[in-house]
Short mmCIF file of all heavy atoms in Angstrom, two decimals:
data_model
loop_
_atom_site.label_atom_id
_atom_site.label_comp_id
_atom_site.label_asym_id
_atom_site.label_seq_id
_atom_site.Cartn_x
_atom_site.Cartn_y
_atom_site.Cartn_z
N VAL A 1 -8.01 -4.89 2.47
CA VAL A 1 -8.68 -4.23 1.41
C VAL A 1 -10.15 -4.51 1.52
O VAL A 1 -10.55 -5.65 1.60
CB VAL A 1 -8.13 -4.81 0.03
CG1 VAL A 1 -8.87 -4.24 -1.17
CG2 VAL A 1 -6.60 -4.56 -0.09
N ILE A 2 -10.95 -3.50 1.48
CA ILE A 2 -12.35 -3.68 1.64
C ILE A 2 -13.10 -3.60 0.24
O ILE A 2 -12.77 -2.78 -0.52
CB ILE A 2 -12.99 -2.57 2.57
CG1 ILE A 2 -12.38 -2.68 3.95
CG2 ILE A 2 -14.53 -2.59 2.60
CD1 ILE A 2 -12.81 -1.58 4.90
N VAL A 3 -13.94 -4.61 0.03
CA VAL A 3 -14.66 -4.65 -1.21
C VAL A 3 -15.69 -3.56 -1.30
O VAL A 3 -16.50 -3.43 -0.37
CB VAL A 3 -15.36 -6.06 -1.39
CG1 VAL A 3 -16.17 -6.11 -2.60
CG2 VAL A 3 -14.30 -7.17 -1.33
N SER A 4 -15.63 -2.76 -2.34
CA SER A 4 -16.55 -1.66 -2.47
C SER A 4 -17.69 -1.93 -3.40
O SER A 4 -18.75 -1.30 -3.30
CB SER A 4 -15.79 -0.39 -2.92
OG SER A 4 -15.22 -0.56 -4.15
N LYS A 5 -17.48 -2.88 -4.27
CA LYS A 5 -18.54 -3.17 -5.26
C LYS A 5 -18.30 -4.56 -5.88
O LYS A 5 -17.15 -4.96 -6.10
CB LYS A 5 -18.46 -2.13 -6.41
CG LYS A 5 -19.56 -2.20 -7.40
CD LYS A 5 -19.49 -0.93 -8.21
CE LYS A 5 -19.52 -0.95 -9.62
NZ LYS A 5 -19.47 0.26 -10.35
N VAL A 6 -19.36 -5.35 -6.11
CA VAL A 6 -19.31 -6.60 -6.71
C VAL A 6 -20.38 -6.74 -7.82
O VAL A 6 -21.55 -6.49 -7.48
CB VAL A 6 -19.50 -7.76 -5.68
CG1 VAL A 6 -19.41 -9.09 -6.34
CG2 VAL A 6 -18.48 -7.69 -4.56
N ASN A 7 -19.95 -7.09 -8.98
CA ASN A 7 -20.96 -7.30 -10.08
C ASN A 7 -21.79 -8.49 -9.69
O ASN A 7 -21.26 -9.62 -9.47
CB ASN A 7 -20.21 -7.55 -11.38
CG ASN A 7 -21.08 -7.77 -12.54
OD1 ASN A 7 -22.22 -8.24 -12.43
ND2 ASN A 7 -20.68 -7.46 -13.74
N PRO A 8 -23.12 -8.30 -9.56
CA PRO A 8 -23.98 -9.42 -9.17
C PRO A 8 -23.91 -10.69 -10.05
O PRO A 8 -24.25 -11.80 -9.56
CB PRO A 8 -25.41 -8.81 -9.13
CG PRO A 8 -25.31 -7.51 -9.75
CD PRO A 8 -23.84 -7.10 -9.86
N LYS A 9 -23.46 -10.56 -11.24
CA LYS A 9 -23.39 -11.75 -12.15
C LYS A 9 -21.97 -12.32 -12.28
O LYS A 9 -21.74 -13.16 -13.09
CB LYS A 9 -23.97 -11.39 -13.49
CG LYS A 9 -25.47 -11.05 -13.50
CD LYS A 9 -25.98 -10.74 -14.78
CE LYS A 9 -27.50 -10.40 -14.65
NZ LYS A 9 -28.12 -10.14 -15.97
N SER A 10 -21.05 -11.78 -11.48
CA SER A 10 -19.69 -12.17 -11.59
C SER A 10 -19.38 -13.49 -10.89
O SER A 10 -20.19 -13.89 -10.07
CB SER A 10 -18.77 -11.07 -11.03
OG SER A 10 -18.92 -11.00 -9.68
N ALA A 11 -18.19 -14.09 -11.25
CA ALA A 11 -17.79 -15.30 -10.48
C ALA A 11 -17.55 -14.97 -9.03
O ALA A 11 -17.81 -15.81 -8.14
CB ALA A 11 -16.50 -15.81 -11.11
N ALA A 12 -17.13 -13.78 -8.68
CA ALA A 12 -16.91 -13.40 -7.33
C ALA A 12 -18.21 -13.39 -6.51
O ALA A 12 -18.26 -13.90 -5.38
CB ALA A 12 -16.22 -11.99 -7.24
N ALA A 13 -19.25 -12.82 -7.15
CA ALA A 13 -20.57 -12.78 -6.52
C ALA A 13 -21.06 -14.22 -6.28
O ALA A 13 -21.62 -14.56 -5.22
CB ALA A 13 -21.52 -11.95 -7.26
N LEU A 14 -20.93 -15.08 -7.30
CA LEU A 14 -21.38 -16.41 -7.22
C LEU A 14 -20.66 -17.23 -6.10
O LEU A 14 -21.20 -18.12 -5.48
CB LEU A 14 -21.17 -17.17 -8.56
CG LEU A 14 -22.11 -16.65 -9.68
CD1 LEU A 14 -21.78 -17.28 -11.00
CD2 LEU A 14 -23.56 -16.92 -9.37
N ALA A 15 -19.36 -16.81 -5.88
CA ALA A 15 -18.58 -17.50 -4.81
C ALA A 15 -18.97 -16.95 -3.41
O ALA A 15 -18.48 -17.46 -2.46
CB ALA A 15 -17.10 -17.29 -5.11
N GLY A 16 -19.72 -15.83 -3.38
CA GLY A 16 -20.12 -15.35 -2.09
C GLY A 16 -19.42 -14.00 -1.67
O GLY A 16 -19.73 -13.56 -0.56
N LEU A 17 -18.67 -13.46 -2.55
CA LEU A 17 -18.02 -12.17 -2.18
C LEU A 17 -19.07 -11.05 -2.21
O LEU A 17 -19.86 -11.00 -3.14
CB LEU A 17 -16.93 -11.87 -3.16
CG LEU A 17 -15.94 -10.78 -2.73
CD1 LEU A 17 -15.18 -11.16 -1.52
CD2 LEU A 17 -14.98 -10.48 -3.85
N LYS A 18 -19.06 -10.20 -1.14
CA LYS A 18 -20.08 -9.11 -1.02
C LYS A 18 -19.40 -7.77 -0.72
O LYS A 18 -18.26 -7.81 -0.16
CB LYS A 18 -21.08 -9.50 0.07
CG LYS A 18 -21.88 -10.73 -0.24
CD LYS A 18 -22.74 -11.03 0.92
CE LYS A 18 -23.48 -12.33 0.62
NZ LYS A 18 -24.39 -12.75 1.65
N LYS A 19 -20.08 -6.74 -0.97
CA LYS A 19 -19.65 -5.39 -0.60
C LYS A 19 -19.41 -5.34 0.92
O LYS A 19 -20.22 -5.90 1.71
CB LYS A 19 -20.64 -4.38 -1.03
CG LYS A 19 -20.32 -2.94 -0.68
CD LYS A 19 -21.42 -2.00 -1.12
CE LYS A 19 -21.10 -0.62 -0.70
NZ LYS A 19 -22.15 0.34 -1.07
N GLY A 20 -18.29 -4.64 1.32
CA GLY A 20 -18.04 -4.53 2.71
C GLY A 20 -17.18 -5.61 3.30
O GLY A 20 -16.65 -5.45 4.44
N VAL A 21 -16.90 -6.64 2.57
CA VAL A 21 -16.02 -7.73 3.04
C VAL A 21 -14.59 -7.29 3.04
O VAL A 21 -14.13 -6.59 2.08
CB VAL A 21 -16.20 -9.01 2.17
CG1 VAL A 21 -15.13 -10.04 2.47
CG2 VAL A 21 -17.62 -9.54 2.36
N LEU A 22 -13.80 -7.68 4.02
CA LEU A 22 -12.37 -7.35 4.11
C LEU A 22 -11.60 -8.50 3.54
O LEU A 22 -11.72 -9.63 3.95
CB LEU A 22 -12.01 -7.11 5.54
CG LEU A 22 -10.52 -6.86 5.83
CD1 LEU A 22 -10.03 -5.53 5.12
CD2 LEU A 22 -10.24 -6.78 7.35
N ILE A 23 -10.80 -8.21 2.44
CA ILE A 23 -9.93 -9.24 1.88
C ILE A 23 -8.57 -9.15 2.64
O ILE A 23 -7.90 -8.15 2.59
CB ILE A 23 -9.75 -9.01 0.36
CG1 ILE A 23 -11.10 -9.11 -0.32
CG2 ILE A 23 -8.78 -10.06 -0.24
CD1 ILE A 23 -11.06 -8.73 -1.79
N LEU A 24 -8.19 -10.29 3.23
CA LEU A 24 -6.93 -10.38 3.97
C LEU A 24 -5.78 -10.95 3.12
O LEU A 24 -4.65 -10.54 3.33
CB LEU A 24 -7.17 -11.29 5.20
CG LEU A 24 -8.28 -10.86 6.14
CD1 LEU A 24 -8.46 -11.83 7.25
CD2 LEU A 24 -7.89 -9.47 6.78
N SER A 25 -6.11 -11.90 2.19
CA SER A 25 -5.03 -12.42 1.40
C SER A 25 -5.59 -12.94 0.05
O SER A 25 -6.77 -13.23 -0.10
CB SER A 25 -4.36 -13.58 2.08
OG SER A 25 -5.13 -14.69 2.17
N VAL A 26 -4.67 -12.98 -0.97
CA VAL A 26 -5.04 -13.48 -2.27
C VAL A 26 -3.98 -14.60 -2.50
O VAL A 26 -2.81 -14.45 -2.53
CB VAL A 26 -4.87 -12.42 -3.30
CG1 VAL A 26 -5.10 -13.01 -4.73
CG2 VAL A 26 -5.81 -11.29 -3.04
N ASP A 27 -4.52 -15.85 -2.71
CA ASP A 27 -3.73 -16.98 -2.93
C ASP A 27 -2.56 -17.10 -1.84
O ASP A 27 -1.40 -17.35 -2.16
CB ASP A 27 -3.06 -17.05 -4.36
CG ASP A 27 -4.14 -17.28 -5.40
OD1 ASP A 27 -5.18 -17.96 -5.08
OD2 ASP A 27 -3.92 -16.85 -6.57
N GLN A 28 -3.00 -16.87 -0.64
CA GLN A 28 -2.18 -16.99 0.52
C GLN A 28 -1.05 -15.90 0.60
O GLN A 28 -0.05 -15.97 1.37
CB GLN A 28 -1.58 -18.34 0.76
CG GLN A 28 -2.68 -19.38 0.86
CD GLN A 28 -2.26 -20.77 1.14
OE1 GLN A 28 -1.12 -21.13 0.82
NE2 GLN A 28 -3.03 -21.55 1.89
N ILE A 29 -1.21 -14.85 -0.17
CA ILE A 29 -0.33 -13.67 -0.10
C ILE A 29 -1.06 -12.55 0.65
O ILE A 29 -2.10 -12.08 0.13
CB ILE A 29 0.06 -13.15 -1.53
CG1 ILE A 29 0.85 -14.22 -2.31
CG2 ILE A 29 0.91 -11.90 -1.45
CD1 ILE A 29 0.99 -13.95 -3.78
N PRO A 30 -0.60 -12.17 1.82
CA PRO A 30 -1.29 -11.09 2.56
C PRO A 30 -1.38 -9.77 1.71
O PRO A 30 -0.46 -9.38 0.98
CB PRO A 30 -0.46 -10.85 3.79
CG PRO A 30 0.36 -12.05 3.89
CD PRO A 30 0.56 -12.57 2.52
N VAL A 31 -2.57 -9.12 1.77
CA VAL A 31 -2.75 -7.85 1.09
C VAL A 31 -3.31 -6.81 2.10
O VAL A 31 -4.25 -7.13 2.80
CB VAL A 31 -3.60 -7.98 -0.12
CG1 VAL A 31 -3.00 -8.78 -1.23
CG2 VAL A 31 -4.99 -8.55 0.15
N THR A 32 -2.75 -5.61 2.07
CA THR A 32 -3.24 -4.58 2.98
C THR A 32 -3.55 -3.27 2.22
O THR A 32 -4.17 -2.40 2.82
CB THR A 32 -2.21 -4.31 4.09
OG1 THR A 32 -1.00 -3.89 3.49
CG2 THR A 32 -2.03 -5.50 4.96
N THR A 33 -3.20 -3.24 0.91
CA THR A 33 -3.47 -2.07 0.14
C THR A 33 -4.11 -2.50 -1.15
O THR A 33 -3.88 -3.62 -1.67
CB THR A 33 -2.23 -1.25 -0.13
OG1 THR A 33 -1.37 -2.04 -0.98
CG2 THR A 33 -1.50 -0.84 1.11
N PRO A 34 -4.79 -1.53 -1.83
CA PRO A 34 -5.36 -1.90 -3.19
C PRO A 34 -4.23 -2.28 -4.18
O PRO A 34 -4.41 -3.17 -4.96
CB PRO A 34 -6.03 -0.61 -3.67
CG PRO A 34 -6.42 0.07 -2.33
CD PRO A 34 -5.28 -0.30 -1.39
N GLU A 35 -3.05 -1.67 -4.03
CA GLU A 35 -1.92 -1.94 -4.96
C GLU A 35 -1.42 -3.36 -4.71
O GLU A 35 -1.15 -4.15 -5.66
CB GLU A 35 -0.73 -1.00 -4.73
CG GLU A 35 -1.15 0.45 -5.10
CD GLU A 35 -1.96 1.23 -4.09
OE1 GLU A 35 -2.05 0.75 -2.94
OE2 GLU A 35 -2.61 2.21 -4.50
N GLU A 36 -1.33 -3.83 -3.41
CA GLU A 36 -0.91 -5.21 -3.13
C GLU A 36 -1.95 -6.21 -3.69
O GLU A 36 -1.62 -7.25 -4.16
CB GLU A 36 -0.69 -5.41 -1.62
CG GLU A 36 0.53 -4.72 -1.07
CD GLU A 36 0.59 -4.81 0.45
OE1 GLU A 36 -0.40 -5.28 1.15
OE2 GLU A 36 1.66 -4.45 1.01
N PHE A 37 -3.20 -5.88 -3.48
CA PHE A 37 -4.31 -6.66 -4.01
C PHE A 37 -4.22 -6.88 -5.49
O PHE A 37 -4.23 -7.99 -6.07
CB PHE A 37 -5.71 -6.04 -3.61
CG PHE A 37 -6.84 -6.82 -4.23
CD1 PHE A 37 -7.29 -7.98 -3.73
CD2 PHE A 37 -7.45 -6.31 -5.34
CE1 PHE A 37 -8.32 -8.69 -4.28
CE2 PHE A 37 -8.50 -6.95 -5.94
CZ PHE A 37 -8.99 -8.17 -5.44
N GLN A 38 -4.00 -5.81 -6.21
CA GLN A 38 -3.94 -5.80 -7.71
C GLN A 38 -2.69 -6.66 -8.16
O GLN A 38 -2.80 -7.45 -9.09
CB GLN A 38 -3.78 -4.39 -8.30
CG GLN A 38 -5.10 -3.64 -8.20
CD GLN A 38 -6.24 -4.25 -9.06
OE1 GLN A 38 -6.05 -4.85 -10.04
NE2 GLN A 38 -7.45 -4.02 -8.54
N ALA A 39 -1.56 -6.49 -7.44
CA ALA A 39 -0.34 -7.23 -7.78
C ALA A 39 -0.63 -8.74 -7.59
O ALA A 39 -0.17 -9.58 -8.37
CB ALA A 39 0.78 -6.72 -6.95
N ALA A 40 -1.28 -9.07 -6.44
CA ALA A 40 -1.55 -10.49 -6.10
C ALA A 40 -2.53 -11.10 -7.17
O ALA A 40 -2.32 -12.24 -7.61
CB ALA A 40 -2.09 -10.66 -4.75
N ILE A 41 -3.47 -10.34 -7.52
CA ILE A 41 -4.46 -10.84 -8.55
C ILE A 41 -3.75 -11.01 -9.87
O ILE A 41 -4.01 -12.01 -10.55
CB ILE A 41 -5.67 -9.84 -8.73
CG1 ILE A 41 -6.60 -9.81 -7.50
CG2 ILE A 41 -6.45 -10.05 -10.01
CD1 ILE A 41 -7.30 -11.16 -7.30
N LYS A 42 -2.87 -10.13 -10.21
CA LYS A 42 -2.14 -10.26 -11.50
C LYS A 42 -1.35 -11.57 -11.52
O LYS A 42 -1.20 -12.21 -12.54
CB LYS A 42 -1.24 -9.02 -11.66
CG LYS A 42 -0.71 -8.90 -13.06
CD LYS A 42 -0.08 -7.59 -13.30
CE LYS A 42 -0.11 -7.31 -14.79
NZ LYS A 42 -0.13 -5.98 -15.13
N LYS A 43 -0.71 -11.89 -10.34
CA LYS A 43 0.10 -13.10 -10.24
C LYS A 43 -0.79 -14.34 -10.44
O LYS A 43 -0.28 -15.42 -10.91
CB LYS A 43 0.77 -13.22 -8.90
CG LYS A 43 1.97 -12.30 -8.75
CD LYS A 43 2.62 -12.53 -7.39
CE LYS A 43 3.84 -11.59 -7.28
NZ LYS A 43 4.45 -11.72 -5.90
N SER A 44 -2.05 -14.27 -10.11
CA SER A 44 -2.92 -15.44 -10.17
C SER A 44 -3.56 -15.63 -11.57
O SER A 44 -4.23 -16.62 -11.75
CB SER A 44 -4.05 -15.41 -9.10
OG SER A 44 -5.02 -14.40 -9.45
N GLU A 45 -3.33 -14.69 -12.43
CA GLU A 45 -3.86 -14.77 -13.80
C GLU A 45 -3.38 -16.06 -14.48
O GLU A 45 -2.23 -16.44 -14.33
CB GLU A 45 -3.54 -13.59 -14.69
CG GLU A 45 -4.22 -12.35 -14.29
CD GLU A 45 -3.79 -11.13 -15.11
OE1 GLU A 45 -2.90 -11.25 -15.94
OE2 GLU A 45 -4.35 -10.06 -14.82
N GLY A 46 -4.30 -16.77 -15.19
CA GLY A 46 -3.95 -17.95 -15.85
C GLY A 46 -4.16 -19.20 -15.01
O GLY A 46 -4.15 -20.30 -15.48
N ALA A 47 -4.40 -18.99 -13.69
CA ALA A 47 -4.69 -20.13 -12.80
C ALA A 47 -6.17 -20.56 -12.99
O ALA A 47 -6.99 -19.89 -13.63
CB ALA A 47 -4.41 -19.73 -11.38
N LYS A 48 -6.55 -21.68 -12.37
CA LYS A 48 -7.92 -22.15 -12.50
C LYS A 48 -8.91 -21.31 -11.62
O LYS A 48 -10.06 -21.43 -11.74
CB LYS A 48 -8.01 -23.58 -12.04
CG LYS A 48 -7.35 -24.53 -13.02
CD LYS A 48 -7.46 -25.96 -12.62
CE LYS A 48 -6.75 -26.89 -13.58
NZ LYS A 48 -6.87 -28.29 -13.30
N GLY A 49 -8.29 -20.54 -10.71
CA GLY A 49 -9.06 -19.69 -9.86
C GLY A 49 -8.19 -18.94 -8.87
O GLY A 49 -6.99 -19.05 -8.90
N THR A 50 -8.89 -18.20 -7.96
CA THR A 50 -8.15 -17.43 -6.99
C THR A 50 -8.74 -17.70 -5.61
O THR A 50 -10.00 -17.72 -5.41
CB THR A 50 -8.27 -15.91 -7.28
OG1 THR A 50 -7.84 -15.64 -8.57
CG2 THR A 50 -7.59 -15.03 -6.29
N LEU A 51 -7.86 -17.93 -4.62
CA LEU A 51 -8.28 -18.24 -3.27
C LEU A 51 -8.13 -16.93 -2.49
O LEU A 51 -7.05 -16.36 -2.36
CB LEU A 51 -7.42 -19.33 -2.65
CG LEU A 51 -7.74 -19.79 -1.23
CD1 LEU A 51 -9.17 -20.42 -1.19
CD2 LEU A 51 -6.71 -20.67 -0.73
N LEU A 52 -9.22 -16.47 -1.94
CA LEU A 52 -9.23 -15.27 -1.04
C LEU A 52 -9.49 -15.65 0.39
O LEU A 52 -10.42 -16.47 0.66
CB LEU A 52 -10.33 -14.28 -1.52
CG LEU A 52 -10.31 -13.75 -2.94
CD1 LEU A 52 -11.51 -12.81 -3.11
CD2 LEU A 52 -8.99 -13.09 -3.21
N LEU A 53 -8.74 -15.05 1.26
CA LEU A 53 -9.11 -15.14 2.69
C LEU A 53 -9.83 -13.84 2.99
O LEU A 53 -9.27 -12.75 2.85
CB LEU A 53 -7.84 -15.30 3.60
CG LEU A 53 -8.07 -15.35 5.06
CD1 LEU A 53 -8.93 -16.54 5.48
CD2 LEU A 53 -6.75 -15.43 5.86
N VAL A 54 -11.09 -13.98 3.47
CA VAL A 54 -11.87 -12.78 3.78
C VAL A 54 -12.39 -12.81 5.20
O VAL A 54 -12.57 -13.84 5.80
CB VAL A 54 -13.04 -12.70 2.71
CG1 VAL A 54 -12.55 -12.62 1.33
CG2 VAL A 54 -13.99 -13.86 2.91
N LYS A 55 -12.68 -11.57 5.66
CA LYS A 55 -13.29 -11.41 6.98
C LYS A 55 -14.64 -10.65 6.83
O LYS A 55 -14.68 -9.64 6.25
CB LYS A 55 -12.39 -10.68 7.98
CG LYS A 55 -13.00 -10.55 9.28
CD LYS A 55 -12.06 -9.99 10.28
CE LYS A 55 -12.72 -9.94 11.62
NZ LYS A 55 -11.83 -10.13 12.73
N GLN A 56 -15.67 -11.36 7.21
CA GLN A 56 -17.00 -10.82 7.20
C GLN A 56 -17.57 -11.09 8.61
O GLN A 56 -17.84 -12.23 8.90
CB GLN A 56 -17.91 -11.42 6.09
CG GLN A 56 -19.22 -10.73 5.94
CD GLN A 56 -19.98 -11.26 4.80
OE1 GLN A 56 -19.63 -12.24 4.12
NE2 GLN A 56 -21.10 -10.66 4.51
N ALA A 57 -17.66 -10.02 9.41
CA ALA A 57 -17.99 -10.21 10.81
C ALA A 57 -19.14 -11.23 10.96
O ALA A 57 -20.12 -11.11 10.21
CB ALA A 57 -18.33 -8.92 11.43
N PRO A 58 -19.04 -12.15 11.87
CA PRO A 58 -17.97 -12.32 12.85
C PRO A 58 -16.95 -13.42 12.36
O PRO A 58 -16.15 -13.81 13.18
CB PRO A 58 -18.73 -12.85 14.07
CG PRO A 58 -19.86 -13.63 13.44
CD PRO A 58 -20.19 -12.99 12.17
N GLN A 59 -17.01 -13.88 11.13
CA GLN A 59 -16.15 -14.93 10.73
C GLN A 59 -15.12 -14.57 9.72
O GLN A 59 -15.26 -13.63 8.94
CB GLN A 59 -17.04 -16.10 10.19
CG GLN A 59 -17.80 -15.77 8.94
CD GLN A 59 -18.63 -16.93 8.40
OE1 GLN A 59 -18.77 -17.95 9.13
NE2 GLN A 59 -19.30 -16.74 7.31
N THR A 60 -14.03 -15.40 9.68
CA THR A 60 -13.02 -15.33 8.66
C THR A 60 -13.08 -16.67 7.90
O THR A 60 -13.15 -17.73 8.54
CB THR A 60 -11.63 -15.11 9.30
OG1 THR A 60 -11.72 -13.92 10.04
CG2 THR A 60 -10.54 -15.07 8.25
N ARG A 61 -13.04 -16.56 6.52
CA ARG A 61 -13.16 -17.79 5.76
C ARG A 61 -12.51 -17.60 4.40
O ARG A 61 -12.14 -16.54 4.02
CB ARG A 61 -14.63 -18.16 5.56
CG ARG A 61 -15.41 -17.13 4.76
CD ARG A 61 -16.91 -17.47 4.78
NE ARG A 61 -17.65 -16.44 4.03
CZ ARG A 61 -18.21 -16.60 2.91
NH1 ARG A 61 -18.15 -17.76 2.27
NH2 ARG A 61 -18.92 -15.58 2.33
N TYR A 62 -12.32 -18.77 3.76
CA TYR A 62 -11.78 -18.77 2.40
C TYR A 62 -12.89 -18.74 1.41
O TYR A 62 -13.85 -19.43 1.58
CB TYR A 62 -10.88 -19.97 2.18
CG TYR A 62 -9.51 -19.84 2.83
CD1 TYR A 62 -9.28 -20.44 4.08
CD2 TYR A 62 -8.49 -19.08 2.23
CE1 TYR A 62 -8.03 -20.34 4.64
CE2 TYR A 62 -7.24 -19.04 2.87
CZ TYR A 62 -7.03 -19.62 4.14
OH TYR A 62 -5.81 -19.50 4.68
N ILE A 63 -12.69 -18.02 0.31
CA ILE A 63 -13.57 -18.07 -0.87
C ILE A 63 -12.76 -18.40 -2.09
O ILE A 63 -11.64 -17.79 -2.28
CB ILE A 63 -14.25 -16.71 -1.03
CG1 ILE A 63 -15.19 -16.42 0.02
CG2 ILE A 63 -15.03 -16.68 -2.42
CD1 ILE A 63 -15.86 -14.99 -0.05
N PHE A 64 -13.19 -19.39 -2.88
CA PHE A 64 -12.46 -19.67 -4.10
C PHE A 64 -13.25 -19.18 -5.26
O PHE A 64 -14.44 -19.54 -5.41
CB PHE A 64 -12.26 -21.22 -4.20
CG PHE A 64 -11.50 -21.63 -5.45
CD1 PHE A 64 -10.10 -21.38 -5.48
CD2 PHE A 64 -12.14 -22.08 -6.50
CE1 PHE A 64 -9.36 -21.66 -6.64
CE2 PHE A 64 -11.42 -22.44 -7.73
CZ PHE A 64 -10.01 -22.23 -7.74
N ILE A 65 -12.66 -18.34 -6.08
CA ILE A 65 -13.36 -17.73 -7.27
C ILE A 65 -12.74 -18.43 -8.45
O ILE A 65 -11.56 -18.31 -8.79
CB ILE A 65 -13.12 -16.21 -7.31
CG1 ILE A 65 -13.68 -15.64 -6.04
CG2 ILE A 65 -13.74 -15.66 -8.56
CD1 ILE A 65 -13.35 -14.14 -5.85
N LYS A 66 -13.61 -19.11 -9.17
CA LYS A 66 -13.19 -19.84 -10.41
C LYS A 66 -12.88 -18.83 -11.52
O LYS A 66 -13.61 -17.90 -11.63
CB LYS A 66 -14.25 -20.82 -10.85
CG LYS A 66 -14.43 -21.97 -9.95
CD LYS A 66 -15.47 -22.92 -10.42
CE LYS A 66 -15.67 -24.08 -9.48
NZ LYS A 66 -16.73 -24.96 -9.95
N SER A 67 -11.89 -19.13 -12.31
CA SER A 67 -11.57 -18.26 -13.47
C SER A 67 -12.45 -18.53 -14.63
O SER A 67 -13.03 -19.56 -14.77
CB SER A 67 -10.13 -18.46 -13.90
OG SER A 67 -9.25 -18.04 -12.89
#
């Protein structure tokens, strides 16, 4: 799933998420479609945050977004 937009004042932006980044997993659940991404995000609701595995050339890394 490719990020198309990030609110500059959001927790995602503060954690380093940027437009064009490829999201590979949400809380260690692989996601390949927007629907899978939304379902994984919904499962993480109520948690202290969300762990994303992202690929931003040339590196792959984890980003933790606090709730």
Side-chain angles (χ1 to χ4, degrees):
V1 177
I2 297 175
V3 176
S4 61
K5 186 165 134 181
V6 179
N7 179 333
K9 295 182 180 181
S10 68
L14 293 173
L17 194 63
K18 298 178 182 178
K19 180 181 176 180
V21 169
L22 177 63
I23 298 173
L24 302 172
S25 71
V26 176
D27 290 334
Q28 300 185 331
I29 300 169
V31 293
T32 58
T33 66
E35 295 78 17
E36 289 176 347
F37 173 78
Q38 289 297 329
I41 289 294
K42 193 167 203 153
K43 284 183 182 178
S44 73
E45 287 178 358
K48 292 183 180 182
T50 303
L51 182 66
L52 302 179
L53 177 61
V54 300
K55 182 170 183 151
Q56 186 174 7
Q59 64 182 4
T60 301
R61 63 189 176 109
Y62 284 99
I63 293 177
F64 184 74
I65 301 173
K66 293 181 182 179
S67 294

